[in-house]
Amino acid sequence: MMRLPKFVYHAPTSVDEAGRILAGEGTAARVVAGGTDLYPNMKRGHQLPPVLVSLRRIPKITGISGTPETGLRIGACTSLTQLGSHPAVKSGYAALASAVLSISTPILRNMGTIGGNLCLDTRCNYYNQNYEWRRAIHFCMKCDGSICWVAPSSKTCLAINSSDTAPLLAALGGRARLISTRGERELAIKDLYNLDGIDYLNKRPDEILTEILLPPAGGWIASYRKLRRRGSFDFPVLGVAAVLWKEPDGRIRDAKIYLNAVASAPLEAKEAETCLVGRKLDTETIREAARLAAEMAKPVDNADFGIAWRKRMARVFTERALNDLKE
Amino acid sequence: MSQKPYRIVGHSLAKVDGPAKCTGQTKFADDLFLPGMVHAKLHRAPLPHARIVRVDTSEAEKMPGVVAVLTGKELPIPFGILPVSQDEHALCLDRIRFVGDPVAAVAALEEDIAFAAMNRIRVEYEPLKAVMSIQAALDNPEPRIHDYGEEGNIHKKVALEFGDVRHGFAGADEIFVDTFYYEGSTHLALEQHAVVAAPEPDGRLTVWSSTQTPHYVHRALAKVLELPPAYIRVIATPVGGGFGGKSDPFQHEIVAAKLALKIGRPVKICLTREEVFYCHRGRHPVLMSVKTGVKKDGSITAMHFRSVLDGGGYGSYGVASTYYTGALQTVTYRIPHYKFDGVRVFTNKPPCGPKRGHGTPQPRFALEVHLDKIAGHLGLDPAEMRRSQLVPPNSITANHLRIGSMGLGTCIDKVVGGSGWKKKFRRLPRGRGVGIACSSYISGAGLPIYWNRMPHTGVQIKLDRGGGICVFCGQIDIGQGSDSVLAQMVAEILGVDPLTIRLVTGDTDLTPVDLGSYSSRVTLMMGNAAIQAAERARDLVARAVAKQWKLSPSRIVFAAGRVFDTENPDQGMSFAESVQAAEAEFGTIGTVGSYTPPPSPGKYRGAGVGPSPAYSYSAAIAQVEVDPDTGWTQVERIWIAHDCGKCINPMLVTGQVEGSVYMGLGEALMEEQVFRANRNGVHKIPSMLDYKSPTTEDMCEVTTYLIEDPDPNGPFGAKEAGQGPLLPIAPAIANAVFDAVGVRIDEIPITPEKILRALRSPDRRCGPASYPRIPMPEPIRVPLPGTEA
Ligand SMILES: Cc1cc2nc3c(=O)[nH]c(=O)nc-3n(C[C@H](O)[C@H](O)[C@H](O)COP(=O)(O)OP(=O)(O)OC[C@H]3O[C@@H](n4cnc5c(N)ncnc54)[C@H](O)[C@@H]3O)c2cc1C
């Protein structure tokens, strides 16, 4: 059996207390929520934090408030199961509910949180292996080594962002609240990510993601399409989120399209968005937008399936996501 | 066969081990904890092929909590499952042959310490060129991975010709040639291998292991540890899934035993999932070529089948696997002249061996897709073409296999009728299609793995004067339900409730030898032995009771826990009373039964692989939906009919059929045991998340038809059910994909990428371009049965 390394476990009951522990411990400490991402990583020796600060005993950052009319505040420690089955989410943000319910398995969703999902470590099948395996390839730059085996000439790590909610929350204009002893800030979820498989989060280690803010529902329509091998359990090898704001006559006022799992951060398909604005969502427009979006996708050989096919699917899946939004 | 209705046999009774499994009380090997037990880990090689220059264990030894380290020097004797390939060492001596080959072991007070210490062992290697594919093994005779075998990196060559294929091809109207590839896959049993070895005060040793073959583990331990077999007791713990992956004696078993003897404490080794991927012994990747001569009506005049197997780093069952890729083509459709060339190469990957269907799913895939193409060319309905070419029952095939009962015709009729084949085939809208395939499998191998003339299995029964029945057998339930089958058969004969029977299984000290849970042999062989033992016990009791009642013993009947006179059912006694009568008459009541398969007609060299007391038959129809934009294939439904002779327990047979469909689906669509040749030969995806096997979400609907064509060699007529139903799944899906979108995927797995590639390629096919040129020896020429001089 693979075993967890030893660590000191803190379970504070307030954000302040958690912040103080994190500030005091410096880089030795790490936040844990559901642990569904962090614990497997610790077993494989990716991260070996001597101190863990659990957020699960902090009531204030669990749960959902607000209404679809005013927008929702989602506590970062809300479980994916809770989030995906919440009536306000299901009615006002159905695409989000379906993205959430596509994550992994029911058992993992009971443990995994939305905060953890947004802060999910990047993935690569040269990296998500245990210590002995990685030693056999002399390690990689993301952990214990210096080279990127996916593309040995690459200066940055190409591990991919595999969160199912990040692209949709970015497209919807969701915002994240971060708190530390040094203060509090709010940023757009699209700005939470860096295009770097190692330094993938625009967040300091002592900052706690406390809540996610969703804009009011209505006025926009959204779709999320996920590509994976199996109907459960699997991370996306491609995620396409599309959100459209339409004029009463059906013309598109604004469009947001994000692709995920093809790079270290969710990618905004700006050219595809521009192509959509001012037009109606007909077959021709969809095809063109999908082609433009797919150009952004440059999958590398570090996840399931071959890269040529994954790239091709970026077009097909964008087309399908947009087709979902036809009247 | 007797038409007498059975009371227990043939009924879907609950599994005898069900309550323990369902309440989490079954004790698997990993659940065993003994006082003073320590934990051991194996240090495994991080490169695919190298000479070991030096092993330095000093750092590990110094760690607090480490109690012993072990290197290959202390276990120099080689072992292996087949007598012809004793090529493994418990810890590599001077050479490692794949990433994951074990080099040293360390035992410590805690598993964590053992892990840490294992990583402090330093090994200096001199790397050797690695070969990572069939082609690379053929192209690089040097350096040799083993210094035995044929030549270069070729482990085994088999060339057999039955009858005269030249003559057969000359008589054909048309000749078809196809090449196919079947990727390797692993068993993925949920339970990871685990072993506990404990020294006994008198110098003896007890080993508990999750193994399908306690007898072979026993033999290997005795050999490598140089102990008399009587000093070693191997107990097979309930196996949490085997599928062939726990049929070899393994390094960790020998290491645990050696460490236990060395330090005088119980030693436990539980493999990680990654290590299980290294132990492997799974499906061989096989490249195949089929050439078939046919008449216009689809009848076959001759077939030449060639296969080359990627064996991985060691022999394992590989020689048998090689023969199996050529053995069972002949048992479904009439093939009057047949030629087989088989080659197994060594490569620097985990060793391949037996996985459910052992060596036969690959050729069956090739054969059934090939026949589908032929039917298309000849304008025949592939179901009817198959139906009209069946091997007759009670016949002998060109390669001298004796067929008994043969229910394939009924199987085909069932699935054709049930699926609405006639309305669907070539008639569904584009994107949807149906495909058919058939298969057959052995019910146990006719010959043992090591040559001997003893029975393949034995059953011993002890009757207790309280009415208790204790059945001893070396077989081990690996989840397939053999315990329940054993209990049901004995219960049928002795007329008791199977739940009252106590089973003692898989214990080399207590139970008569059974060769193990592999090759679909258990129900048939153990069953026959159990019937013999139970009937002997019943006859003793009947004689005693008959004497008491002054009747003929033939009038004594056993049913519902009672023993009575058929002609006067009110005259009766409880089973316990009847045993008391017998014990008073004869003394302690204990009987034995054993089983040896009938001799096979084949006498040529290589005739040992293929013969079986009975052959099961299956036919399957798959219905698929293929998305032409993505190549995505959804298997909507499988109709499958399986002729298992007689269902001892229909629910268990259905479970085996559905499980086979599930496993077949995984192989057909996604599973791949693949390696990164350019990155030190590491396994690409050694985890349950990344090695893709279907989840329940991906399972299709299954309609199962159980066909009963009793075989005179089977207990109550029963044949196998555990492996055969897997075989038609992959080819049925491949054929359905063709019906849906008109492309031929001649390569397993059938992934969306391959379908899309085929849809865009001019020949509308995805598969190997050619079969390699491999010089073969002159074939052993075997006259057709009945024509021998
Ligand atoms: C088998 C398997 C399949 C999976 N499949 C999917 C999938 O299909 N799609 C998908 O998106 N994910 C998948 N996941 C990943 C993971 O389970 C989910 O993303 C989950 O939501 C993570 O949440 P958590 O609370 O368990 O995170 P944790 O493991 O607790 O944390 C993950 C990371 O985020 C940090 N973190 C967590 N919460 C906070 C916070 N509030 N503030 C600051 N930092 C924080 C942690 O320090 C850690 O680095 C899968 C995981 C597994 C093991």
Side-chain angles (χ1 to χ4, degrees), chain A residues 30-31 33-38 104 113 117 164 209 226 234-235:
Chain A
R30 199 175 181 105
V31 165
T36 61
D37 183 48
L38 185 61
S104 190
T113 65
N117 188 254
D164 275 308
L209 168 60
K226 173 176 182 173
D234 283 339
F235 281 94

Side-chain angles (χ1 to χ4, degrees), chain B residues 172-219:
Chain B
D173 291 333
E174 289 202 59
I175 291 173
F176 296 88
V177 184
D178 280 303
T179 51
F180 297 93
Y181 181 67
Y182 199 109
E183 185 55 273
S185 58
T186 203
H187 318 82
L188 213 73
L190 273 186
E191 182 205 21
Q192 293 153 208
H193 307 47
V195 62
V196 176
E200 309 287 350
D202 51 7
R204 292 170 192 250
L205 175 73
T206 303
V207 176
W208 291 262
S209 187
S210 52
T211 177
Q212 299 176 237
T213 53
H215 176 59
Y216 298 140
V217 173
H218 190 210
R219 284 170 55 86

Side-chain angles (χ1 to χ4, degrees), chain A residues 30-40 47 55-56 61 76-77 80 102-105 108 111-121 123 162-165 178 200-201 203 207-210 226 228 233-236, chain B residues 689:
Chain A
R30 199 175 181 105
V31 165
V32 64
T36 61
D37 183 48
L38 185 61
Y39 291 140
Q47 287 105 35
L55 303 178
R56 291 229 97 156
I61 60 170
C77 261
L80 297 170
S102 78
I103 294 170
S104 190
T105 63
L108 261 105
M111 286 302 287
T113 65
I114 180 65
N117 188 254
L118 288 176
C119 298
L120 189 65
D121 194 6
R123 299 185 62 80
S162 309
S163 163
D164 275 308
T165 64
L178 301 169
Y200 59 95
L201 276 186
K203 172 186 104 52
E207 281 183 309
I208 300 168
L209 168 60
T210 56
K226 173 176 182 173
R228 57 173 162 184
F233 198 29
D234 283 339
F235 281 94
Chain B
L689 175 59

